[in-house]
Amino acid sequence: QVQLVESGGGLVQAGGSLGLSCTASGGIFKSYSVGWYRRAPGKERELVALADLSGPPTYGDSVKGRFTMARDNAKNSIYLQMDSLKPEDTAVYYCYVYSWSSTREYWGQGTQVTVSS
């Protein structure tokens, strides 16, 4: 069983930056695909960033060039650096992990990001 604990988020003005962190416990972190998704009020869940076992992350069109995801296998953690934030980035952000060995996916509890105009 994998548990994901998120931290970061909060309130920031448009144009500002925020960072999110997600730490996993249980399992073999380096064998996971990892990523971030978000859900804004009244909208569908949206991909923010996703990375397979190797290679660079794939970013959603709305965040390309502004958000950067990184993973640290030694710390069982993934990070999301969000720059040049816009009010439309306001959402609950969820950490995501897919275990290739168990073919199961896991989600963090979600953290609120609010960008004021």
Side-chain angles (χ1 to χ4, degrees), residues 16-86:
S17 298
L18 277 176
L20 304 180
S21 300
C22 174
T23 300
S25 61
I28 304 174
F29 187 78
K30 64 180 180 181
S31 68
Y32 301 153
S33 292
V34 296
W36 294 91
Y37 286 79
R38 68 186 184 186
R39 186 189 297 273
K43 294 188 176 181
E44 296 291 322
R45 186 175 62 198
E46 177 187 19
L47 170 70
V48 175
L50 185 66
D52 286 327
L53 302 182
S54 61
T58 298
Y59 295 95
D61 289 341
S62 60
V63 306
K64 282 180 182 177
R66 300 187 297 120
F67 289 14
T68 303
M69 186 178 78
R71 68 186 294 169
D72 186 336
N73 290 339
K75 295 183 178 180
N76 289 356
S77 296
I78 60 174
Y79 308 95
L80 184 68
Q81 177 64 35
M82 304 180 290
D83 298 319
S84 302
L85 282 160
K86 305 175 181 180

Side-chain angles (χ1 to χ4, degrees), residues 88-111:
E88 51 264 44
D89 293 319
T90 295
V92 178
Y93 284 70
Y94 297 91
C95 173
Y96 167 85
V97 158
Y98 177 80
S99 169
W100 289 95
S101 61
S102 67
T103 66
R104 292 185 63 180
E105 58 184 28
Y106 301 91
W107 295 89
Q109 79 278 13
T111 186

Side-chain angles (χ1 to χ4, degrees), residues 6-19:
E6 302 176 26
S7 60
L11 174 64
V12 65
Q13 288 189 332
S17 298
L18 277 176

